[in-house]
Every structure is written in C-alpha cells, then in structure tokens.
Amino acid sequence: MSILLLDRRLEPQRIDEFADQGIPALDDSKVLPGPAVIVDAAATPDSSGRTSQTRQITGVIASRPLACREQDGAWVEVDFEAADHWTQMTDELRRRLIDDTRATLDVKEFKQATNGASASLITNNWVYSGTPRVYRVAGRLRQFVAVLGELTRG
C-alpha cells in the first residue's frame, strides 16, 4: 500500500505509519496545518482491471481518498462509499467538481460515479433536485473535493 500525503508543498509524501495506525499516527508537527489530503496511491481508480484513458489522471488526484483536512481543521476520514464514488468518476467530472463543488451532474454522470446506482439512491454523498433530476456532491465527498480544490488553486 502506498499512502501519500498531499499538502500545500504539492509534493506527495509517503506516510508509512498511516497504514498501521490511521489518522492518529500523523504527527501534526511534520505536516502543514492544511489543507491536505491522504490517498492510497496503490489503489487503482478502476479496480475492475480496465485502464480506460478516461479514468487516468496525472498525479494523485484520482487515487482512492482516505482522509482530508481543511485549513487549521482536524483530519476527517473519507468513508468507503465516498472513496468508491471518487474513483469511479471520469477525469473530466473530477476536474469539474474540484473547480466548483456546486457543479451539477445529470443522471448519466451520477450513475457512472456511483457504479450504476439507481437514480433515486439516497446517500450521504449526493443531493438531488429538479426534473429532470440533477445531482450535487455532498457530505464527506464534498469535503474531500473542496480540500482538493484549495490545494489545486494554491
């Protein structure tokens, strides 16, 4: 497992102790106060073995999220469902959400991000409205995306 920390230094740093002990293992004196994310870079964006070009992205952005930290905030673990949804998205959708956490998804994009889930799926990571239905990211997934946005905008 290759656990990486990405913070304002924008150079991924390996953090081996995280794999054994989780978030409490991080020594805050070694990392900046935020924003920062921790990802599992060994987990491929598409665990089915496919390597379609739409699922590739430079750097650690497409890696499986484990935790995030807002500026001067505490570490927050990214739940399994949110991590799955993030890794199932296309690069274009990830970029759109990083640029604007209020961006909307149509039903097709939602189904792709949730591995074909019903369009009426109720989840902590999505909210929907309107007819035809449009979706927005919510919960821990939105928090992770917002922190990535802060990092990529510098």
Side-chain angles (χ1 to χ4, degrees):
M1 192 180 276
S2 182
I3 307 298
L4 300 177
L5 168 74
L6 182 64
D7 60 17
R8 291 236 187 247
R9 293 174 275 202
L10 297 179
E11 295 247 351
Q13 301 166 45
R14 180 180 222 108
I15 48 174
D16 297 324
E17 67 272 9
F18 181 85
D20 297 327
Q21 300 173 16
I23 292 174
L26 292 175
D27 176 359
D28 289 347
S29 66
K30 293 180 185 174
V31 296
L32 297 176
V37 297
I38 299 171
V39 297
D40 179 357
T44 60
D46 183 7
S47 60
S48 69
R50 291 177 288 155
T51 56
S52 91
Q53 190 172 16
T54 60
R55 294 190 184 272
Q56 308 269 329
I57 196 164
T58 304
V60 300
I61 301 293
S63 297
R64 186 171 187 81
L66 299 174
C68 63
R69 179 182 192 166
E70 294 176 336
Q71 183 70 37
D72 297 318
W75 285 105
V76 175
E77 290 189 65
V78 176
D79 62 80
F80 192 80
E81 179 186 70
D84 281 353
H85 292 179
W86 181 252
T87 59
Q88 292 165 173
M89 291 181 195
T90 63
D91 292 343
E92 176 194 347
L93 181 52
R94 285 187 199 105
R95 177 54 53 201
R96 205 166 83 216
L97 291 173
I98 289 169
D99 290 344
D100 179 8
T101 58
R102 296 172 309 194
T104 60
L105 287 70
D106 61 24
V107 171
K108 181 181 175 188
E109 291 171 315
F110 173 79
K111 284 182 175 269
Q112 191 267 320
T114 59
N115 200 23
S118 166
S120 62
L121 176 75
I122 297 176
T123 173
N124 293 328
N125 295 302
W126 300 96
V127 294
Y128 62 86
S129 62
T131 304
R133 207 171 261 187
V134 292
Y135 296 83
R136 285 184 329 206
V137 70
R140 295 283 166 91
L141 184 55
R142 183 177 193 274
Q143 193 172 9
F144 174 75
V145 171
V147 171
L148 275 179
E150 286 181 55
L151 286 173
T152 60
R153 287 188 286 282

